[in-house]
Amino acid sequence: MKQYKVLLKKEWKQFLMEWKIIWFPIVFILLGLMQPVVTYYMPLLMETFGGSEGITIDPLVMKQTSGEVLASTIGSQFDQLGVMVIVISIMGMIQMDRKDGMLDIILTKPVSLISYVLSKYSSHLLLVLFSISVGYLISYGYTVFLFDPIPIQNVLLGFAYYSFWIAFIVALVLLMSAVFKQTAILAISSIGILFMIHMMKGWNRILDLLLPSTISAEAMNQIITGQGSEIFIHIVVTVLWSIILIYLTVQKLSIRKE
Amino acid sequence: MELVMQKVNKAFKEKKVINNFSLHIHSGECVGLIGPNGAGKSTIMKMITGILQQDSGMIKLNNKEMTKMKKAVGYLPQYPTFYEWMRVKESLIFMGQLFEIPDKTLQQRIKELLHTVGLENNEEDRIVTLSGGMKQRLGIAQALLHKPTFVILDEPVSALDPVGRREIIQLIQQIKNNTTVLLSTHILSDAEEICDRFVILKDGELVADTNNEDIFGSRFQNTLSIELVNEDIYIEELLNKQTYVKNIKKQHDRYLIEVTDIDKNKFDVMKIINEKRINYKKIEIYRENLEDIFLNLVVKK
């Protein structure tokens, strides 16, 4: 436990040194801001830049509710560009230590692999959740300001559900970071797997129950309608997936063949 | 602190790098692991520290698994690595905290060690700004921070300039007084200066396990070494006629003259050389040194 705290402190110092603690939330603030602003000003933008001549616009798009706008921040901004930013920013968490030999040095000290892996996971998860929550808060503020208020319970529960999906993403990148040494392969495989998991959502009901990405859709439902279906099962499944991925990371690092 | 390695094997994919290697290091010994590049020195050290797993065989420190003895072991890798964004002192504090050294003791220990390795004026420098030699010293400080009783040093002086090298050799000589040391090097004169025992490796196999006594014991063998200014083909002919000369061998730029009684015959040989006015650079009683043993075992085999 003592070593875990020392390693965790080191991770946060490193975030500060690399300015990650500053620029990472800024990226999510920009992403969070984009959805309500663009949605609100879309008609004006269309008119200003060439008008809407020859373009048929779905009238429903113009009439998005505030809940839908906030949910789109998750679905369109955080789950697409945001996920790519997360993967690229945190993919070096174990890979860099393996590449430059620091992992070897740390493991010659009385540090357990579990402490090491958990310190990496928890510090990066906290950083990502903090950044997303700031972006989400900004998005919420702008949505309420430009559109209508959203019940606070829906906003908070929606974010809580979405946090489980983020926990899964960080666990997946953690494992990939322990498996691959080449940055490009690590990035492509992480984004590829996340994209596939996202695409498989909605194929059939049983698969949906097993997919960690379903909780992201449930988070959006919660924000829009104030209701989620089988949410407890989705939480348990996503948490289980994350635990499995963390366990596999520890196992991967414990095999020290090369 | 006693290390026992028994019939250890290690292969990387299909290539066998350590073959049936056994070694017993007794408490307080300073052992030099010597071999050409690629002989398997670093692999053995990494297996001892637990960085690598052996495919088969046993490695135990004081009869316990290495994973349970991490607090007793200090390790300096061949290329010391650090979190380069950290400052010198900060890095040592981080490492010390991993060993759960109490704060007050740790501060005191860091002060002592930075003085010992000559980095007392660099404690607030970022590691990224240090030279290779300074990083090597910091690596040594890091390895000794928790007062280990078994120290593993992988090529500790290879990256240093002559002055730095001398300082580190002196430092190792200090620590070996109360610590068991295993160090690898390919600078044989350093090994000879520091170690009491030498384990020679070739292609992952142990080819010799010798000690200073064996090497210095050969000092008094009945052989003279003569280095001439110009190559003189008559010296062989001249000395061969002497009844006390048993054998003459030319080795590189010197002649090795084996005689029946070194104490008596060294003066006879000198007399002949002086009488015939043969110009020589050096005449000495030949002793086989570590380099001779190494070349004999590793190069010629």
Side-chain angles (χ1 to χ4, degrees):
Chain A
M1 195 62 188
K2 233 177 184 177
Q3 279 87 352
Y4 167 78
K5 279 184 192 164
V6 173
L7 291 167
L8 199 67
K9 202 170 127 192
K10 177 245 133 197
E11 290 298 328
W12 280 100
K13 263 192 186 174
Q14 196 165 356
F15 293 156
L16 268 171
M17 287 301 300
E18 293 170 349
W19 296 94
K20 241 180 203 173
I21 210 153
I22 307 290
W23 67 258
F24 211 58
I26 290 175
V27 170
F28 280 93
I29 287 173
L30 292 174
L31 289 175
L33 201 133
M34 207 180 288
Q35 194 66 34
V37 171
V38 169
T39 310
Y40 185 79
Y41 289 108
M42 186 57 87
L44 190 69
L45 287 170
M46 298 285 279
E47 224 166 86
T48 312
F49 299 103
S52 51
E53 231 172 273
I55 300 172
T56 311
I57 299 171
D58 183 353
L60 289 174
V61 172
M62 297 300 177
K63 287 177 189 167
Q64 275 188 327
T65 64
S66 53
E68 284 168 341
V69 175
L70 186 60
S72 299
T73 298
I74 286 180
S76 304
Q77 305 298 333
F78 294 173
D79 258 359
Q80 290 174 24
L81 203 55
V83 165
M84 275 196 256
V85 172
I86 293 171
V87 170
I88 289 163
S89 317
I90 68 168
M91 66 185 180
M93 56 183 152
I94 291 177
Q95 177 248 9
M96 286 299 288
D97 279 359
R98 288 179 72 212
K99 212 173 170 184
D100 60 23
M102 270 320 285
L103 177 63
D104 291 344
I105 295 292
I106 286 172
L107 294 182
T108 57
K109 318 291 178 215
V111 175
S112 69
L113 260 175
I114 295 170
S115 297
Y116 174 78
V117 169
L118 283 182
S119 74
K120 289 280 176 189
Y121 178 71
S122 51
S123 58
H124 284 81
L125 178 62
L126 272 176
L127 174 73
V128 175
L129 278 180
F130 167 71
S131 307
I132 290 180
S133 62
V134 174
Y136 186 73
L137 193 72
I138 295 288
S139 185
Y140 170 68
Y142 268 83
T143 307
V144 171
F145 180 69
L146 297 173
F147 298 90
D148 300 309
I150 312 165
I152 193 73
Q153 192 193 346
N154 296 357
V155 175
L156 293 176
L157 275 178
F159 185 75
Y161 299 160
Y162 190 66
S163 302
F164 289 101
W165 168 235
I166 296 300
F168 170 81
I169 293 175
V170 176
L172 178 78
V173 181
L174 181 86
L175 175 63
M176 292 294 138
S177 187
V179 172
F180 298 110
K181 271 190 181 171
Q182 291 86 355
T183 323
I185 298 174
L186 166 52
I188 291 167
S189 50
S190 304
I191 293 170
I193 292 171
L194 287 169
F195 179 74
M196 268 178 56
I197 293 173
H198 233 320
M199 291 300 290
M200 285 159 76
K201 199 168 54 185
W203 281 5
N204 76 51
R205 205 186 150 269
I206 295 168
L207 192 64
D208 275 357
L209 280 177
L210 296 173
L211 281 176
S213 52
T214 313
I215 200 150
S216 159
E218 287 306 322
M220 288 166 69
N221 268 342
Q222 179 66 41
I223 296 166
I224 298 167
T225 64
Q227 284 169 345
S229 70
E230 294 166 325
I231 197 70
F232 181 72
I233 297 172
H234 294 308
I235 289 173
V236 170
V237 166
T238 313
V239 168
L240 275 177
W241 271 116
S242 303
I243 291 170
I244 291 168
L245 292 172
I246 295 167
Y247 173 77
L248 289 175
T249 308
V250 174
Q251 288 307 307
K252 168 67 186 79
L253 293 178
S254 68
I255 303 164
R256 306 188 62 73
K257 289 281 181 192
E258 280 176 42
Chain B
M1 199 54 60
E2 193 180 38
L3 172 83
V4 177
M5 295 178 80
Q6 257 174 23
K7 294 182 178 175
V8 173
N9 288 286
K10 177 77 192 165
F12 292 131
K13 290 180 181 154
E14 297 302 303
K15 198 183 172 220
K16 198 154 196 178
V17 287
I18 300 297
N19 194 6
N20 238 7
F21 182 83
S22 295
L23 179 67
H24 190 162
I25 297 178
H26 302 94
S27 189
E29 269 189 314
C30 178
V31 178
L33 196 57
I34 298 158
N37 290 336
K41 305 185 292 289
S42 294
T43 305
I44 286 175
M45 292 187 151
K46 283 182 179 176
M47 286 193 292
I48 296 172
T49 54
I51 291 173
L52 281 175
Q53 282 167 341
Q54 68 267 31
D55 296 336
S56 63
M58 179 205 84
I59 303 175
K60 282 193 172 174
L61 195 62
N62 267 11
N63 229 5
K64 287 180 187 153
E65 292 297 327
M66 291 305 298
T67 46
K68 290 173 187 152
M69 296 298 287
K70 284 181 177 179
K71 280 192 175 176
V73 179
Y75 171 58
L76 170 74
Q78 190 172 1
Y79 306 104
T81 44
F82 309 93
Y83 288 117
E84 301 237 327
W85 52 268
M86 283 187 179
R87 294 178 195 278
V88 169
K89 192 178 173 186
E90 186 184 8
S91 173
L92 291 176
I93 290 175
F94 169 64
M95 294 295 178
Q97 286 173 338
L98 291 179
F99 278 103
E100 296 181 46
I101 304 172
D103 276 354
K104 212 174 166 187
T105 318
L106 182 60
Q107 293 290 342
Q108 187 57 35
R109 183 76 183 137
I110 289 172
K111 204 174 164 190
E112 279 168 25
L113 275 171
L114 286 178
H115 177 73
T116 312
V117 298
L119 289 175
E120 67 267 48
N121 297 323
N122 305 89
E123 61 174 47
E124 289 305 321
D125 290 356
R126 295 236 180 257
I127 295 172
V128 71
T129 64
L130 301 183
S131 68
M134 288 162 112
K135 282 182 189 169
Q136 195 84 2
R137 291 154 192 238
L138 179 60
I140 291 178
Q142 171 269 124
L144 302 177
L145 192 61
H146 54 296
K147 293 191 175 172
T149 43
F150 187 81
V151 177
I152 299 168
L153 306 167
D154 195 356
E155 305 273 3
V157 290
S158 58
L160 301 179
D161 59 33
V163 179
R165 209 176 105 203
R166 174 73 11 225
E167 286 170 1
I168 296 301
I169 287 174
Q170 282 167 353
L171 176 66
I172 299 169
Q173 276 168 333
Q174 277 174 37
I175 60 170
K176 77 170 194 176
N177 292 331
N178 42 20
T179 315
T180 309
V181 179
L182 174 66
L183 76 89
S184 77
T185 181
H186 53 250
I187 305 169
L188 301 175
S189 55
D190 290 347
E192 212 168 354
E193 197 175 338
I194 305 167
C195 304
D196 323 310
R197 188 176 148 201
F198 313 95
V199 172
I200 302 178
L201 269 180
K202 189 190 177 189
D203 298 330
E205 282 183 46
L206 190 146
V207 288
D209 187 347
T210 182
N211 58 33
N212 262 330
E213 271 175 32
D214 292 340
I215 292 171
F216 285 101
S218 65
R219 186 184 186 105
F220 303 108
Q221 64 188 12
N222 290 324
T223 305
L224 270 176
S225 163
I226 305 175
E227 272 181 55
L228 300 177
V229 174
N230 301 308
E231 218 169 271
D232 193 327
I233 50 164
Y234 297 109
I235 193 168
E236 255 187 280
E237 200 182 312
L238 205 63
L239 292 175
N240 257 331
K241 287 177 189 165
Q242 312 305 317
T243 50
Y244 53 81
V245 172
K246 286 164 73 180
N247 185 27
I248 299 179
K249 198 164 73 178
K250 189 160 188 303
Q251 194 188 66
H252 311 296
D253 54 351
R254 66 185 176 185
Y255 287 94
L256 299 178
I257 323 283
E258 196 186 340
V259 293
T260 45
D261 179 357
I262 192 76
D263 290 337
K264 190 167 163 276
N265 301 140
K266 64 186 175 193
F267 299 113
D268 300 328
V269 173
M270 292 274 286
K271 197 179 162 195
I272 291 170
I273 285 171
N274 285 332
E275 275 176 7
K276 297 291 174 188
R277 294 185 170 275
I278 295 170
N279 270 338
Y280 59 86
K281 279 190 219 164
K282 193 160 73 180
I283 299 179
E284 62 183 0
I285 297 168
Y286 172 71
R287 84 173 175 94
E288 197 175 33
N289 61 18
L290 189 59
E291 192 171 336
D292 295 320
I293 295 173
F294 181 79
L295 290 173
N296 221 6
L297 289 166
V298 175
V299 181
K300 287 184 184 168
K301 250 190 181 176

